[in-house]
Amino acid sequence: METEEEEALSLSILSDPTLHQKHLSMIERLSNRHQTRVDNSLARRSDSDSNSPSSASAFLSRFSDSKRSIEAHIAQSRLAYPTDPSEVRSHLDSISASISDLEKLVAESSFFLPSYEVRSSLKAVSDLRQSLDNLSSELIPKKKFAFKNKASKRDPTTEPKQTTAEEKSVSVSTSHEKLVFQVRDSPGFRGKKGEILVENFKGSEIGEFTVSDLDSCEVKLIGSVRALFVHRLRNCRVYVGPVIGSVLIDEAEGCVFVMASHQIRIHNAKGCDFYLRVRSRPIIEDSSGVRFAPYCLSYEGVEEDLRDASLDEETGNWANVDDFRWLRAVQSPNWSLLPENERVQMVNISELGGGIEGN
């Protein structure tokens, strides 16, 4: 019920046309403002719905379709495949690119997927890579086995040890499943000590690159590559441009890594520092004393390379690390953020002898 003052005010407004018009204008503005707030609320709700279970369902449907397509290509390749070795390699590279695209899809969707869905999807991608490795072994004979008989007269104590398939496997397990990644026979740096190793991917068609069995080396990788495998490094510094797919690291000790990728998985690392830009949360396992900081790499054209790889935006995920061996709600003791006063400010690898600028 209106008070006497409110009644008097209403009569005053109605009796004065100017005040009446102003009153109507004010009511219209308030109504428009309210409608704008309602529209914004609906828009925010729509954005929220994009991260809802329906988005997860859409991801799972797309993931399943792509996975079935890749499995069908692998199965068909065993029945009918090119006879020209170069065509076989091109065919296998095409399947590998499809697997990397699927892995990229997982990385881009991981922010709204439940952890168990991420692990399950990564396990499926790993199984596809294992199937591709097996297919590659079937279709492309490994030349190194052809020379075993010729070397049979050598002293076995001096004979270099052949790397078996089992030794090439990088095993990454979780509490629910066991993932196995192959250190592929891709181009790369292997078996070096105390050297500066530089590779420029600009203008090349290298899809995968391997850095393995290095001691006290400095590695500079300029440009972008589809996938990077790092295995058995000690006291090394590794500077990497954008990786379009994933980085898999196994057995690293006392190393510094500066790298950008859609997905980074770290297994069995000890006392290492990681300067990262990554689209999904970095994953560590069986690791200790690892520290994380933001990406700080510089070389001519790096911004364009990052943009082409969809890694030009800083997500902050370098600080959101998942430890698959630490299931408690409290912070894992196996990783920490690198204190700002201990971080390098910028690493410039434009010059062959370029190095860290500042401290």
Side-chain angles (χ1 to χ4, degrees), residues 113-134:
L113 290 175
S115 296
Y116 69 87
E117 291 290 5
V118 175
R119 288 195 294 267
S120 176
S121 299
L122 291 175
K123 171 66 165 58
V125 171
S126 175
D127 289 343
L128 289 174
R129 286 206 177 276
Q130 180 66 57
S131 296
L132 180 61
D133 288 333
N134 295 339

Side-chain angles (χ1 to χ4, degrees), residues 14 29 53 65 77 89 94 116 118 145 224 278:
L14 292 174
R29 287 197 303 273
D65 290 343
S77 299
R89 173 53 63 186
S94 176
Y116 69 87
V118 175
F145 294 124
S224 61
V278 57

Side-chain angles (χ1 to χ4, degrees), residues 152-166:
S152 59
K153 293 183 179 180
R154 294 182 182 177
D155 185 348
T157 60
T158 61
E159 184 69 19
K161 182 180 178 181
Q162 294 289 340
T163 302
T164 65
E166 290 77 9

